Amino acid sequence: MSLTPPSLSISDLTKRFGRFVAVDSIALELRPGELVALLGPSGCGKTTTLRMVAGLERPSAGEIRFGDRVFVSIPRAIELPPEKRQIGMVFQSYALWPHMTVFENVAYPLQLRGIAKADIRGKVAAVLDLVNLGGAGDKQIPQLSGGQQQRVALARALVYEPALMLFDEPFSNLDTQLRGQMRMELKMLRRKVEMTGLFVTHDQVEALSMADRIAIMHAGRIEQIGSPSEVYRQPKTRFVRDFLGRVVNLRGTADAGGFRIAAGGERLAVAATHDVHPGATAELSIRPEFVAIVPAGAPDRPNSINATIEELLFTGDRFEARMRVGGDNVLFDLPSDRAWAEGESVRLHLPTDAVSIWSLEPDAK
Amino acid sequence: MIMNDVVSRLWRAMPVAVLMLVAMAGAASAQASWQAEWDKTVAAAKTEGKVVVGMSPSTVRRDFLLKQWKQDYPEIELSLSIISSSGFVPQVTTERAAGKYLWDIWHSGPNFEVIKAGLLDPLQPEMILPDVKDPALWGGWDDAFYDDGKQLEMGLVNDLESPYYNAAVIAPERAKAEGLKVMLDPAYKGKIVWFDPRVTGPGEPFLSLFAHVFGDEGLKKLVVDQDPVFVGNMNDAAQAIVRGKAVIAVAGKPQSNLADYTQAGVKIDVRPFGATPETAYRGTDGAALGVFTKRPHPNATRVFVNWIMSKRIAALMSVAVQYDSRRKDVRPLDPNFTMLPGAFYIDAQRAENHAREYMEKVREMRPQ
Amino acid sequence: MTTEPLDAVPVSAFAWVFRRLYMARGEIVAAAVFAAVAFLVLYPIGTVVYLTFVPNELSGVFGTIPWYRAFSEPGMLQSVLNTIYVVVAVQVISMPLSVGISWFLARTDLPGARMIEFCFWIMFFLPSMGVMTGWLLLFDPDFGLFNQWLIDAGLIKASIFNLYSFWGIVFVHLTTYGISVKVMLLTPAFRNLDSSVEEASFLCGANRWRTLIRIVLPLMTPAMLVVLLMSIIRGLETFEIEQVLGTPIKFQVYSTKLYLLMANSPPEFRAAGTLGTAVLAMVLPLIVLQRWASTRRSFAVVGGRGGNARIRLGRWRWPAFIAMAGGVAFMSLLPFLMLVAGSFMKLFGFFDLPQVWTFDHWATALADITFIASLRNMLYLGFGTAFLAVGIYALVAYCAVRAKSRLRGAIDMVTWLPYTVPGIVLSFGYLNMALQVPIFALLYGTVGALILVSFLASMPLGVQVIKVNMLQMGTEIEEAGRIVGGGWTRTFRRIILPIGSPTLAVVGIMVFASTIRSVSSIMLLSTGANRVLSVLQLEFLSGGSLGPAAVVGTVIVLISLAAAIVVRLVSSRFGIQARG
Ligand SMILES: Nc1ncnc2c1ncn2[C@@H]1O[C@H](COP(=O)(O)OP(=O)(O)OP(=O)(O)O)[C@@H](O)[C@H]1O
Ligand SMILES: [Mg+2]
């Protein structure tokens, strides 16, 4: 794998099941060596997209190319069967073959490629070592733990060094702890093995922490593509904003370059607006972790507003607080280094560059 | 005077003598001609190497034929198939529609379907041996052949059947005196076992006899009031008698039906009601003979026909299968149970006895 | 590696059409499979149905409409009702019982589960006539040994169990095919279940019973529907039981009426055909329903992870074993021993003869001139059908489950059809096909023709059972085989078939056993040259030689058993049991 792996290019890809459109003319480019996450709620078409790339599902329209090879092109009636695409895939269910041992599972792809027996043994051993399963080759699949099975599936996909790797919710069947561990391992693996990869998840932490770029899907369409921090900080659509992380929304009215809280009447300066005309009803959005909260009498900073603590919940390392801001009730975390009180007034500082304004007019998206 | 007398006698006898001489010479040449034809046929049959026979189910007859044939004509394979009476004709007609002519000999029935379907050739031209050809030996062709034209399907056995009873329960004197009327005695309600007469088979021909003797009303009394137990196979009937569940059986002949039991040492005394036309009817034992049209082994067929009809085989077979041969020169097995000379017996196989209609009637009387 | 540089793509219309066809190859293969199966299945059935409507020289009664003729048969309505009573009683008893037994055998640590399961195979191998005769020996009201013992022991005054009764008939149905087929098929299905499914349910606080009812059984829906449907159809078809036990007590069923029409001289094929067609019409909606219910959602239980922890029975382990082993010994070993004993008895069931035991029947049967040839033909037939069948059934079942084609459902349903018309009626259709289709006509009179017919006759069983197994196999298992670089054929051979092998083995054995003992479908194609043992047995039986018939029956059962044992040994050698 000395050469840079080729790039994956998806254009105008559509998949219909009967009249239902599962994937709606999406386009996506993967740069060589890049790992892209497909993120979205259940049923938005992630798996379907992945399966079309793998050749397990035939698109209704569109084209997928990998380097100079056409995987599939509906207009030109080209379709490469999955076995000719030279890709690796880790299934959500692992799809290990229960009638083969660990060794046999991993060796099978190599046998298909007509590799000599001795070489197979060496390669399998190496890849099993890579996934920390050295010495488990003779085990039967049902004798393995979930995490081990997961790693066998990974080894099976890696062993023939495919240029493109696909993962469908690779960690969804693992418990939280194992999941974290596997993420780490995969990340480390990427340093050792260069590969272009596409992985599907509906776990945002997974997407944010592992992917070079994230494509957020919604109802068969890609809503936004960008680096993790881009999509997190600068959501382009309301869907992306609400889907990723927590968000605090306050209702009010927009004006030129600013925003007035509905009930309190305070005015805030804002950086980003999304299709908002001055005077329109709108909402202000900000991720709670960007909001600085100080007791009422503390030295004030610009772009701050008043709030009242209505309810407090002590959770050990912090407080969860329900606050009244203008006419809205919102939730914030408060540090536990200070004793807060219910009914106490506080000031919320909203940094200008972290605030965005979204129209609430009926015609808004 | 005396001399004259002698001379005149001689003179008068002269034509007779001449005729005798001529006849003797003729016989000799006939002898020569049938023998030559026979030898030629046998030789040709050996080249054909095979004869294909479809016969009705009877293990003893099958065994007898297979063994005896092998002894007599080891060079000609006898391919015997037990055929189901209902499926055979459709099978053969379908085969023929597809251009397959596989069968030589029909040895089952009588069955009018084979005739209706035009599957049989006349039998008499196949007879070569004088020992076989003579109608007198068979009681005349009119009686021997079942078909209207008296040439296609011929019965080989002379079979008389009568229901039988357990002589330990019913006194033979009474059976003799009252005949089948005993069957209507309320004491034997539910004690009559009967091979299901609603199906073509050994239970059904009796309907014609009983209706003939006692009329439709009598038949109804028997079937409905006497509540006979219908069974689906011969052995159930035999068991019912042996186990004492039933006293009277309408299911073929006791000597073949109960053979296994008596041979094994079961003590049971069963007797037929009688050999009179009021107590017995003519059965068939599925032993009719016919030759198929367009048979694949015509010479072997001829050899088989003459073989099975010969006196030697008829006599051996009669003993083996416990049926009287139709041949007049083969002794009946039980001289006390043979047809009374000149008497007319019901033969259910003949259309005029309406067996089919009685069967339909019984189906209505006993729908379950 | 054939890669196609994008810019080099030719644009000729021909190439485009060719490529489109290539892309549609899945559809084309499915269509070809459908066409082949439909032809083989519909030809004989079509012949029968056609005959019922069209005048023909074979029709029994000229000038009457066969449908009217058949259904105006005296007592028809009552017989239909009787059939329904029997079928309902048999299924209501056997279904829960079989599900329970299979669950115990597959999902718990019941001792000797494998042996017990094998006893159900034995039960399946036993000929129903033989089993029934065996039961009569015990439960005849007048001389049944069981009744006699109880009377002699002073426990009862009169017989308590009379086999000549409705419940007697139900009992024989249960002990022949009623339970055995279901257990044979459900046990592997239960065994495929990933134990994590159960464990998850236990974790949620559900007990075993709730888990079984709410989780396990719903997952088993396709398997249960298939066996249910199959045994309902079997129940509609068998007539030997009612013919022997029902005729004396005036209890006729649909199938005995049908038999009556067929046994007439001349046979009323058309009228019988209408009864057969009516069964078809009754069963078709059930088939559609079954298809709908088993494809409505996913029933995949083999996910490619796998755990097969067994439920611990704890202190119930041995009581459960004793109940199960006792039941199975009673239902399978006892009839088996009676069958074998019967072949050595001078007169079956007569213990008070001067000489009770004999080798005569064996001597007679084995010395029969046709015995060896029949045995050889039977082995050709059995193995030929089983091998041909398992491979092709697997392919057809695959298409019925996985084909990316609208014909998938049609393939599934068409494979049911040979079951829906009673064998004695359908045999006539088979005869027509075997003679009228030129290639098959070459086989006529040989064992090949019998193989063809037996292959079709067993198709519903084989395809449906394998289909259920494939429904249980997650699609990703197969897809993984493609992704890593194996073509479809390779994946089918190396992944799908081996994973399905326990089921394929069961199917192979069932096909073998039912092929070598059945006569109804091959009867009309049988000639002296291709006579098989089952036909010889029928010849003995109808010729009144019960002893030799019992011998041949015993030989057939023993051969089935031997084949089954070999299959089990082989499959355990290859580690198939590792999952079970
Ligand atoms: N074979 C199919 N037939 C019909 N509809 C399908 C099929 N496969 C998927 N769909 C539908 O297409 C939509 C997208 O499915 P897909 O499996 O791609 O979702 P997903 O984004 O992977 O969801 P999840 O996160 O739940 O796995 C869903 O609404 C699904 O119901
Ligand atoms: Mg998915």
Side-chain angles (χ1 to χ4, degrees):
Chain A
M1 287 243 156
S2 50
L3 292 171
T4 340
S7 64
L8 179 76
S9 140
I10 297 173
S11 60
D12 196 26
L13 192 66
T14 300
K15 177 71 191 179
R16 281 183 287 270
F17 293 110
R19 309 176 93 191
F20 174 75
V21 185
V23 174
D24 193 356
S25 67
I26 62 169
L28 185 64
E29 294 274 343
L30 262 69
R31 292 179 216 112
E34 189 182 36
L35 186 62
V36 169
L38 280 179
L39 181 64
S42 187
C44 69
K46 308 179 294 288
T47 299
T48 307
T49 306
L50 205 68
R51 288 171 59 81
M52 287 191 285
V53 175
L56 301 173
E57 206 82 66
R58 174 179 299 164
S60 309
E63 213 165 70
I64 302 172
R65 282 190 267 161
F66 188 59
D68 58 357
R69 290 195 293 150
V70 179
F71 273 4
V72 62
S73 164
I74 295 306
R76 280 181 295 173
I78 298 173
E79 189 187 34
L80 222 49
E83 63 270 19
K84 298 243 173 88
R85 297 191 183 193
Q86 291 288 331
I87 52 183
M89 183 161 177
V90 179
F91 289 90
Q92 188 169 0
S93 66
Y94 312 151
L96 298 176
W97 302 307
H99 60 302
M100 300 183 183
T101 61
V102 169
F103 176 87
E104 288 164 343
N105 262 279
V106 181
Y108 179 70
L110 300 176
Q111 288 167 3
L112 292 175
R113 287 167 176 75
I115 292 171
K117 259 200 174 139
D119 296 348
I120 290 182
R121 204 158 299 139
K123 283 189 184 228
V124 172
V127 78
L128 285 180
D129 277 342
L130 189 71
V131 298
N132 288 329
L133 275 178
D138 291 335
K139 292 221 166 124
Q140 297 287 335
I141 299 302
Q143 298 172 338
L144 300 180
S145 73
Q148 288 169 325
Q149 291 182 355
Q150 154 86 63
R151 280 178 280 172
V152 176
L154 189 60
R156 184 179 68 185
L158 288 172
V159 72
Y160 51 98
E161 303 178 353
L164 178 66
M165 281 289 283
L166 306 174
F167 303 86
D168 191 359
E169 314 216 15
F171 310 129
S172 66
N173 284 307
L174 306 181
D175 59 48
T176 341
Q177 203 182 349
L178 205 55
R179 209 183 276 201
Q181 194 186 327
M182 287 306 298
R183 264 183 225 144
M184 280 307 207
E185 283 182 23
L186 193 61
K187 200 137 196 181
M188 269 156 41
L189 199 68
R190 284 197 63 210
R191 295 212 193 105
K192 298 188 229 169
V193 185
E194 188 159 17
M195 60 181 164
T196 310
L198 188 60
F199 80 95
V200 159
T201 177
H202 56 226
D203 178 339
Q204 19 173 313
V205 181
E206 204 162 285
L208 293 168
S209 61
M210 296 190 48
D212 300 321
R213 282 193 300 152
I214 298 178
I216 307 243
M217 286 190 72
H218 173 46
R221 298 181 150 274
I222 292 186
E223 296 257 333
Q224 186 174 357
I225 310 177
S227 70
S229 72
E230 233 169 65
V231 290
Y232 188 75
R233 285 165 191 268
Q234 291 145 29
K236 288 228 177 73
T237 68
R238 191 185 295 267
F239 174 81
V240 175
R241 176 198 79 188
D242 295 342
F243 186 72
L244 280 184
R246 285 163 60 192
V247 67
V248 166
N249 296 325
L250 300 171
R251 277 171 300 157
T253 330
D255 57 31
F259 180 85
R260 192 169 294 280
I261 302 285
E266 287 159 298
R267 185 175 182 284
L268 288 165
V270 295
T273 59
H274 294 266
D275 299 328
V276 192
H277 325 286
T281 41
E283 73 186 352
L284 169 151
S285 302
I286 185 167
R287 306 244 176 241
E289 67 268 23
F290 295 137
V291 178
I293 303 172
V294 292
D300 211 10
R301 284 193 275 175
N303 243 25
S304 290
I305 53 173
N306 276 329
T308 320
I309 300 178
E310 298 229 304
E311 239 169 278
L312 268 180
L313 266 176
F314 180 61
T315 62
D317 55 342
R318 62 202 156 87
F319 288 99
E320 273 174 18
R322 191 162 62 81
M323 297 194 194
R324 170 157 291 274
V325 184
D328 293 306
N329 273 320
V330 289
L331 283 176
F332 282 108
D333 286 349
L334 294 176
S336 59
D337 53 354
R338 183 189 177 282
W340 304 86
E342 291 183 358
E344 185 180 345
S345 281
V346 292
R347 292 287 286 170
L348 309 181
H349 167 59
L350 285 60
T352 311
D353 59 353
V355 173
S356 56
I357 305 289
W358 308 73
S359 170
L360 278 183
E361 295 289 311
D363 61 334
K365 274 194 269 185
Chain B
M1 182 72 207
I2 290 170
M3 194 61 188
N4 246 355
D5 211 31
V6 170
V7 170
S8 75
R9 272 188 188 186
L10 268 177
W11 266 116
R12 266 181 278 149
M14 197 60 188
V16 180
V18 170
L19 274 177
M20 274 174 71
L21 275 174
V22 170
M24 277 163 72
S29 81
Q31 149 96 36
S33 81
W34 71 253
Q35 187 67 51
E37 190 187 354
W38 178 244
D39 292 344
K40 210 177 74 197
T41 309
V42 171
K46 285 179 184 169
T47 355
E48 286 168 358
K50 192 176 185 182
V51 59
V52 183
V53 179
M55 64 169 284
S56 55
S58 158
T59 316
V60 262
R61 198 162 76 236
R62 167 182 170 278
D63 287 353
F64 170 79
L65 291 175
L66 284 172
K67 290 208 181 94
Q68 192 62 44
W69 177 267
K70 200 161 183 168
Q71 255 176 38
D72 295 349
Y73 295 104
E75 307 91 339
I76 307 172
E77 183 199 339
L78 172 58
S79 169
L80 251 187
S81 289
I82 301 279
I83 57 182
S84 83
S85 59
S86 58
F88 187 67
V89 173
Q91 177 180 353
V92 176
T93 29
T94 316
E95 283 172 0
R96 292 184 163 218
K100 299 217 177 244
Y101 298 87
L102 307 173
W103 302 89
D104 294 314
I105 301 275
W106 160 262
H107 185 36
S108 177
N111 179 315
F112 297 102
E113 298 312 298
V114 258
I115 297 170
K116 263 196 241 161
L119 295 177
L120 297 185
D121 261 349
L123 184 65
Q124 286 178 40
E126 304 304 306
M127 302 177 191
I128 299 173
L129 304 178
D131 164 47
V132 163
K133 274 171 107 154
D134 183 0
L137 287 171
W138 300 96
W141 294 142
D142 271 6
D143 194 50
F145 277 90
Y146 290 105
D147 54 301
D148 295 340
K150 305 296 172 191
Q151 52 173 348
L152 301 174
E153 201 180 13
M154 176 183 169
L156 291 184
V157 298
N158 203 0
D159 181 30
L160 204 55
E161 286 185 19
S162 173
Y164 57 91
Y165 61 93
N166 187 341
V169 181
I170 298 174
E173 298 74 41
R174 184 180 170 205
K176 192 159 187 184
E178 296 183 27
L180 296 179
K181 197 157 164 254
V182 178
M183 293 179 82
L184 294 175
D185 183 346
Y188 305 122
K189 182 172 177 175
K191 291 284 187 187
I192 300 168
V193 62
W194 193 342
F195 191 107
D196 197 340
R198 296 167 297 185
V199 202
T200 310
E204 165 229 345
F206 177 64
L207 294 173
S208 299
L209 172 65
F210 203 86
H212 180 73
V213 180
F214 296 94
D216 286 7
E217 269 312 298
L219 184 63
K220 187 165 181 194
K221 261 196 200 134
L222 179 63
V223 172
V224 179
D225 302 342
Q226 285 300 83
D227 198 20
V229 177
F230 290 171
V231 292
N233 63 61
M234 287 292 223
N235 187 51
D236 283 359
Q239 278 228 3
I241 290 288
V242 170
R243 299 279 194 185
K245 282 186 180 184
V247 176
I248 300 169
V250 188
K253 297 160 73 101
Q255 57 268 48
S256 53
N257 211 312
L258 290 171
D260 279 353
Y261 294 85
T262 45
Q263 275 163 27
V266 173
K267 299 263 173 291
I268 179 115
D269 181 13
V270 294
R271 301 182 189 186
F273 272 94
T276 62
E278 291 77 38
T279 50
Y281 55 92
R282 295 182 72 168
T284 60
D285 188 36
L289 186 69
V291 293
F292 283 96
T293 56
K294 301 196 184 166
R295 47 200 173 275
H297 312 103
N299 292 295
T301 303
R302 237 168 227 211
V303 174
F304 186 87
V305 166
N306 285 278
W307 176 79
I308 198 172
M309 288 177 75
S310 67
K311 182 177 179 192
R312 181 176 65 100
I313 298 301
L316 288 174
M317 187 148 83
S318 163
V319 174
V321 304
Q322 288 289 301
Y323 271 85
D324 287 348
S325 171
R326 184 179 278 278
R327 281 185 77 109
K328 299 290 176 208
D329 55 356
V330 173
R331 238 163 37 88
L333 293 162
D334 177 0
N336 295 324
F337 194 74
T338 53
M339 273 189 239
L340 307 177
F344 171 79
Y345 287 86
I346 286 282
D347 185 344
Q349 301 301 332
R350 314 226 180 230
E352 67 268 20
N353 290 311
H354 313 291
R356 181 78 199 200
E357 283 150 50
Y358 289 125
M359 188 166 146
E360 299 281 341
K361 274 192 190 136
V362 175
R363 284 189 183 183
E364 263 157 46
M365 290 184 235
R366 273 282 285 268
Q368 280 297 304
Chain C
M1 162 105 236
T2 52
T3 66
E4 198 148 11
L6 195 53
D7 306 319
V9 171
V11 267
S12 91
F14 176 76
W16 192 86
V17 169
F18 183 78
R19 286 211 206 112
R20 280 241 70 113
L21 282 177
Y22 181 69
M23 272 178 86
R25 65 197 183 284
E27 285 267 359
I28 293 169
V29 169
V33 167
F34 173 75
V37 173
F39 175 78
L40 290 175
V41 165
L42 293 179
Y43 197 110
I45 292 180
T47 308
V48 171
V49 176
Y50 174 79
L51 264 185
T52 68
F53 287 106
V54 179
N56 178 294
E57 72 272 15
L58 294 173
S59 61
V61 183
F62 289 93
T64 37
I65 304 159
W67 286 83
Y68 173 76
R69 171 74 188 83
F71 285 95
S72 62
E73 176 71 26
M76 196 65 205
L77 179 66
Q78 186 58 45
S79 303
V80 170
L81 287 178
N82 287 347
T83 302
I84 295 173
Y85 298 148
V86 171
V87 166
V88 168
V90 169
Q91 298 310 328
V92 164
I93 296 172
S94 66
M95 202 63 206
L97 206 58
S98 316
V99 168
I101 293 170
S102 319
W103 181 80
F104 266 103
L105 294 180
R107 308 299 312 166
T108 70
D109 61 349
L110 187 77
R114 288 270 163 189
M115 269 319 293
I116 294 174
E117 186 191 358
F118 193 65
C119 286
F120 283 97
W121 288 27
I122 298 180
M123 217 165 136
F124 174 79
F125 298 153
L126 295 175
S128 52
M129 281 301 273
V131 172
M132 180 162 46
T133 329
W135 291 138
L136 273 173
L137 185 59
L138 291 180
F139 299 126
D140 186 282
D142 296 326
F143 59 85
L145 294 176
F146 181 74
N147 286 324
Q148 286 303 317
W149 285 328
L150 291 184
I151 292 173
D152 291 349
L155 293 174
I156 51 167
K157 289 227 168 56
S159 298
I160 46 165
F161 194 62
N162 179 1
L163 209 60
Y164 290 97
S165 66
F166 174 76
W167 289 109
I169 290 171
V170 170
F171 176 75
V172 177
H173 274 277
L174 286 174
T175 50
T176 49
Y177 69 95
I179 296 176
S180 60
V181 180
K182 296 196 184 85
V183 173
M184 272 179 97
L185 299 180
L186 286 178
T187 306
F190 270 110
R191 209 169 268 142
N192 278 340
L193 199 73
D194 194 322
S195 60
S196 58
V197 175
E198 283 168 339
E199 285 151 10
S201 166
F202 296 152
L203 289 179
C204 298
N207 60 21
R208 275 165 219 169
W209 177 244
R210 275 186 79 93
T211 304
L212 183 66
I213 297 293
R214 300 291 302 277
I215 308 291
V216 177
L217 294 191
L219 273 173
M220 288 288 129
T221 311
M224 293 197 303
L225 282 177
V226 164
V227 294
L228 179 66
L229 192 51
M230 230 146 39
S231 77
I232 288 178
I233 295 174
R234 262 302 291 275
L236 290 176
E237 215 181 303
T238 49
F239 68 92
E240 304 98 324
I241 299 170
E242 283 85 356
Q243 202 209 349
V244 171
L245 298 180
T247 311
I249 58 165
K250 301 178 193 155
F251 187 86
Q252 298 247 322
V253 291
Y254 193 78
S255 52
T256 47
K257 286 283 179 200
L258 192 153
Y259 170 76
L260 214 83
L261 290 170
M262 287 292 283
N264 262 347
S265 178
E268 298 187 32
F269 268 108
R270 291 170 71 199
T274 60
L275 293 188
T277 311
V279 176
L280 175 77
M282 274 184 316
V283 172
L284 272 183
L286 294 180
I287 292 175
V288 175
L289 194 70
Q290 176 275 145
R291 168 82 196 172
W292 174 79
S294 50
T295 49
R296 203 160 41 102
R297 51 200 183 86
S298 164
F299 296 94
V301 292
V302 186
R305 276 168 288 133
N308 52 8
R310 298 294 182 79
I311 289 170
R312 283 169 199 274
L313 292 173
R315 66 202 160 89
W316 289 107
R317 205 160 168 244
W318 288 102
F321 170 76
I322 289 167
M324 204 77 97
V328 103
F330 174 71
M331 289 191 301
S332 69
L333 296 184
L334 189 60
F336 176 62
L337 291 178
M338 286 192 289
L339 183 74
V340 175
S343 71
F344 287 106
M345 282 188 91
K346 191 116 207 173
L347 263 186
F348 187 74
F350 284 74
F351 291 97
D352 44 6
L353 296 173
Q355 187 201 353
V356 177
W357 306 101
T358 177
F359 285 104
D360 288 356
H361 305 318
W362 281 85
T364 311
L366 300 188
D368 192 275
I369 296 176
T370 58
F371 182 85
I372 295 296
S374 307
L375 176 67
R376 195 184 50 225
N377 284 339
M378 182 200 77
L379 292 177
Y380 288 155
L381 172 65
F383 285 111
T385 310
F387 282 111
L388 180 78
V390 169
I392 298 183
Y393 293 166
L395 184 72
V396 174
Y398 179 88
C399 291
V401 172
R402 291 286 152 81
K404 292 200 166 129
S405 161
R406 257 162 298 204
L407 288 173
R408 205 168 51 196
I411 294 176
D412 183 0
M413 283 186 257
V414 93
T415 57
W416 273 103
L417 295 183
Y419 246 41
T420 56
V421 179
I424 45 173
V425 175
L426 195 53
S427 59
F428 186 64
Y430 286 140
L431 174 71
N432 272 269
M433 179 167 77
L435 281 165
Q436 289 163 2
V437 180
I439 323 160
F440 298 155
L442 292 178
L443 296 175
Y444 189 77
T446 68
V447 177
L450 306 187
I451 291 181
L452 172 75
V453 167
S454 307
F455 164 78
L456 288 177
S458 290
M459 185 155 75
L461 174 97
V463 171
Q464 290 305 318
V465 172
I466 300 174
K467 178 194 93 177
V468 166
N469 182 260
M470 286 188 174
L471 283 173
Q472 289 189 322
M473 208 185 291
T475 42
E476 298 193 338
I477 292 235
E478 174 194 349
E479 289 167 352
R482 303 293 300 281
I483 296 273
V484 301
W488 182 84
T489 22
R490 194 90 83 105
T491 307
F492 191 70
R493 233 180 44 232
R494 294 281 310 268
I495 305 218
I496 297 176
L497 288 186
I499 293 179
S501 58
T503 304
L504 297 182
V506 174
V507 168
I509 278 298
M510 286 179 103
V511 169
F512 181 83
S514 48
T515 295
I516 64 172
R517 70 153 179 230
S518 81
V519 266
S520 63
S521 14
I522 59 169
M523 192 56 208
L524 291 184
L525 284 95
S526 179
T527 62
N530 63 9
R531 179 193 282 109
V532 291
L533 271 192
S534 57
V535 171
L536 179 64
Q537 185 190 17
L538 186 72
E539 291 181 356
F540 278 135
L541 207 58
S542 52
S545 304
L546 302 185
V551 171
V552 176
T554 308
V555 170
I556 293 176
V557 172
L558 290 177
I559 290 173
S560 296
L561 266 181
I565 289 170
V566 169
V567 164
R568 285 187 79 106
L569 289 181
V570 169
S571 50
S572 64
R573 265 294 276 287
F574 285 97
I576 285 162
Q577 291 189 13
R579 301 193 315 116

